[in-house]
Structures are given as C-alpha cells and as structure tokens.
Amino acid sequence: MKYLLILLSSLSIAQTYEVINQENSGTSYRGLSFQDAKTFVVSGSKNTIGKSLDGGKTFTWINPKVVSDRDFRDVEVLDKDNYLAMSVDAPAYILNSKDGGKTWNKVYENNTPKIFLDAMYVDPKTKNIIVLGDPMRPDKPFVLKSSASNLKKWEEDLYVNKQLLRLKNPKEAFFASSGSNIYSDEKQTLIVSGGEQSNLYYYTSRGGQLYILDKTKSSTSGINGMDYNPTYNVGYLVGGDYKKPEESKHNLYKFKILNGAVSFVDSWKYPEGYKSGVTVIDKDKVVVCGYSGVDYSVDGGHNWKNITKDSYNTCKVSPDKKYVILVGNNGKIGKINL
C-alpha cells in the first residue's frame, strides 16, 4: 500500500494520502457517491460496482447480474442502501438497488445507437434526478428526469427550470470523465460543456444565460467537471486537454452566483495539468484531480499544492469533511485524510 505524508508547513496543516485499493486492476472507475461518513459506493467499467462500509478499509463488490459488460460511469446514493448506477452507451441502463447492492433492477433502458449518458445529479433536498447525455440532435442535449419517489417513471425533457435547453455549437457535447457536468436544484441548473466549444449554461425560471469559456482549439479540450456548493456559494469548473495531461491551460474556473448571474473569481495560480474532478470541502478548501495528479488549495483556489502525481478521474469529500476519496484507472482507489 502506498502511503505519503504531505505537509503544508506555512499553514501547519498535514494531509496523508494513500492508495487504499487496486484489486480490480483492469477497471476504470469514474463513479463515486457517499451514503454517510463511512459508507461510499464506486462504479466503473467491466460491470464493476463496489462499496465500503468503513471509510475505505475494506470493500465489497456488488456487481449487478441483470446486465453484463457495462461501463458504469456514474453512481448516486438516494438514501440508505438505495443506489442508482448509470451505464453510458447503447444499450444504456440505469439500475437501482434498494438493498445495498445485493440485487439490482433495470429502471431505465435505451437502445438508441447514438445514446451516450454523461452524468447524473440528485438534488439532496427534493431527491429529483436529472441525467445529462450527449445531443441526439444538433444543439439539443439529451435530458432525462425522474424522482426517487417513482423510479419507474423516466421522462425525456427539453426544459430545465422552465427554460428550453439548447447548445451554442452543434458540435458541442459533454465529457463523461467524472459524472459532474451538471448541478440542478429547484431554483437553478448549471450545465458545462466541452469539445468544439466549452460553455457554462445557467438556467433559472427567469431565463437562461451563456458563459463562453476559454479553451484550446483541440476538440479534446474544455471543461470536464464541476462542483458547486450552495451553502458556501462557491463552485469550480475543471478541465483542460485529456490528450495533453501535463498542459495547464484553461484548466480551472472559480465562480459564485450573485444577483441571479454567474460571477467568475480570478485565481492567482492554477493547479498542475489536466483535471477532470473537483470537490469543494468548505468556502476555502478544494481538491482537484485528473490524469496529471491531485492538487489541494486551502485559500479558495488562489494557491495550490500537489499532493500526488497519481492519476485519478473523480474525487469527493466525505460528509464529515474528514477525508477525500479518489477513483481512477487501473482499479485505483485513493484516500486523502484531511
């Protein structure tokens, strides 16, 4: 087991990082969701879903038997032992387990040849579910909605917050890197895109707003992931070019929502390289991860310290804010103790 101590001496804060599991070395993990301070679920390729009940000390593999050879790029915990798992392409499935992963059932299936699901988001207050997919028609994202109270009913929708969804560029789409292209609650929805163009879309009942984001000319660049925390009113967009993981150009945006609009906040420095995942810990602390490694800021994203060069796709902080779990390729699951 790899173990590393990171010391930010100027702030007298120490973090420990370790690789806690790599037994499924052929699996690429991108899905990650917490049930409580000790319990979390991970998902990935080769039909792999697992969970830990003890903060990552041990894992149980709860691979579904109702489908085979699916790439579960996102997983969400609805409540205790009630999970959703999303596979990305045809046939695209959303599975539900109500017994902690012992059994799984299909609640949604789509066999359309071009279907590609990128992310799920569950509003923690209302338990409304929104799924975002690549456009099936030019400039129109694929959006699927449901609710934890009725998982038998899934509806395709062209609207969020009563606003029609449209993409600015017909070749614009979404990166399914970390299942974090979308945030949605009763008042607002944020969607971030990449590819030929990278944009942030902000919708409320009053209308929609478009924010054009800088990117390189490469179609493999743009924003890959997002985390917005309404309690602290702070959000981060992360990305870059996944084909050039050491390049840091246009890899991070910080924002707040002020007076019904997105307000971007300048950073003094930026994390190293391409990033696909981000998790807000509090109003000042944030962790980002990607092929280029994992970086940590304690001053609102102005300065960054590299924690490890190990590659990860997705990161999330525990509900008690005591540690961050990271998941990536080659079956790697890591942990940062804060």
Side-chain angles (χ1 to χ4, degrees):
M1 180 177 290
K2 185 183 292 185
Y3 188 82
L4 183 65
L5 174 68
I6 306 297
L7 178 65
L8 303 183
S9 58
S10 62
L11 298 171
S12 298
I13 299 173
Q15 294 80 42
T16 57
Y17 159 72
E18 57 183 320
V19 176
I20 57 175
N21 191 281
Q22 207 167 1
E23 57 188 286
N24 297 314
S25 59
T27 298
S28 171
Y29 294 118
R30 296 183 186 271
L32 172 61
S33 186
F34 275 91
Q35 177 173 305
D36 53 46
K38 293 291 186 181
T39 307
F40 61 87
V41 185
V42 301
S43 68
S45 61
K46 298 186 176 180
N47 232 56
T48 307
I49 303 177
K51 72 174 182 178
S52 175
L53 302 176
D54 50 16
K57 294 178 182 177
T58 61
F59 285 82
T60 302
W61 303 105
I62 51 175
N63 302 351
K65 294 181 175 60
V66 292
V67 297
S68 61
D69 198 27
R70 294 292 85 200
D71 188 356
F72 291 106
R73 292 205 183 186
D74 205 356
V75 65
E76 296 288 341
V77 173
L78 299 177
D79 49 46
K80 182 176 171 53
D81 292 336
N82 190 1
Y83 309 148
L84 286 180
M86 179 197 80
S87 69
V88 289
D89 54 3
Y93 295 107
I94 298 175
L95 307 183
N96 176 231
S97 176
K98 293 185 178 179
D99 55 10
K102 294 177 183 178
T103 58
W104 294 87
N105 296 296
K106 300 175 187 175
V107 293
Y108 177 78
E109 180 176 352
N110 191 318
N111 290 281
T112 307
K114 292 184 179 181
I115 189 73
F116 196 94
L117 305 181
D118 296 281
M120 287 191 296
Y121 185 83
V122 179
D123 183 345
K125 292 183 179 179
T126 65
K127 299 298 182 180
N128 289 331
I129 303 159
I130 186 166
V131 178
L132 181 68
D134 284 349
M136 304 284 282
R137 294 174 289 172
D139 79 9
K140 291 180 175 60
F142 181 84
V143 172
L144 193 62
K145 294 180 180 180
S146 186
S147 172
S149 62
N150 186 6
L151 292 174
K152 294 181 179 180
K153 183 179 180 182
W154 293 83
E155 294 182 335
E156 295 179 25
D157 202 342
L158 295 175
Y159 292 81
V160 293
N161 300 96
K162 301 180 180 180
Q163 305 302 320
L164 179 65
L165 276 171
R166 297 181 71 95
L167 296 180
K168 187 175 187 297
N169 189 315
K171 294 183 180 180
E172 201 174 335
F174 311 102
F175 290 114
S177 307
S178 57
S180 58
N181 312 89
I182 186 167
Y183 168 90
S184 186
D185 61 33
E186 290 181 297
K187 297 180 180 179
Q188 58 201 355
T189 296
L190 292 153
I191 295 174
V192 67
S193 67
E196 291 295 327
Q197 194 165 336
S198 191
N199 294 312
L200 175 63
Y201 296 88
Y202 179 58
Y203 298 96
T204 69
S205 59
R206 294 184 178 183
Q209 301 169 25
L210 166 68
Y211 300 87
I212 298 174
L213 306 172
D214 290 332
K215 66 180 291 296
T216 66
K217 294 181 180 180
S218 170
S219 62
T220 58
S221 72
I223 294 301
N224 280 236
M226 166 176 56
D227 191 21
Y228 173 69
N229 189 305
T231 300
Y232 305 117
N233 187 24
V234 62
Y236 293 85
L237 313 176
V238 294
D241 191 334
Y242 68 84
K243 289 288 185 69
K244 300 176 180 178
E246 300 308 316
E247 288 191 4
S248 301
K249 199 170 186 179
H250 311 311
N251 70 348
L252 182 132
Y253 292 86
K254 179 183 178 181
F255 67 92
K256 295 178 179 292
I257 296 175
L258 302 173
N259 301 317
V262 174
S263 177
F264 290 97
V265 181
D266 288 337
S267 292
W268 304 332
K269 296 181 181 179
Y270 293 88
E272 298 179 10
Y274 159 79
K275 302 301 180 192
S276 56
V278 53
T279 186
V280 174
I281 298 168
D282 61 26
K283 65 182 182 65
D284 295 317
K285 297 175 184 176
V286 57
V287 170
V288 297
C289 68
Y291 290 167
S292 60
V294 181
D295 295 88
Y296 181 46
S297 175
V298 296
D299 60 1
H302 292 303
N303 293 282
W304 296 86
K305 292 287 185 179
N306 179 255
I307 287 181
T308 177
K309 295 292 186 181
D310 288 355
S311 169
Y312 288 100
N313 298 319
T314 308
C315 54
K316 286 191 178 179
V317 68
S318 60
D320 60 3
K321 313 292 186 184
K322 291 184 177 180
Y323 64 96
V324 171
I325 293 296
L326 310 116
V327 297
N329 299 332
N330 302 315
K332 188 181 293 182
I333 304 174
K335 182 176 183 179
I336 304 168
N337 290 296
L338 300 172

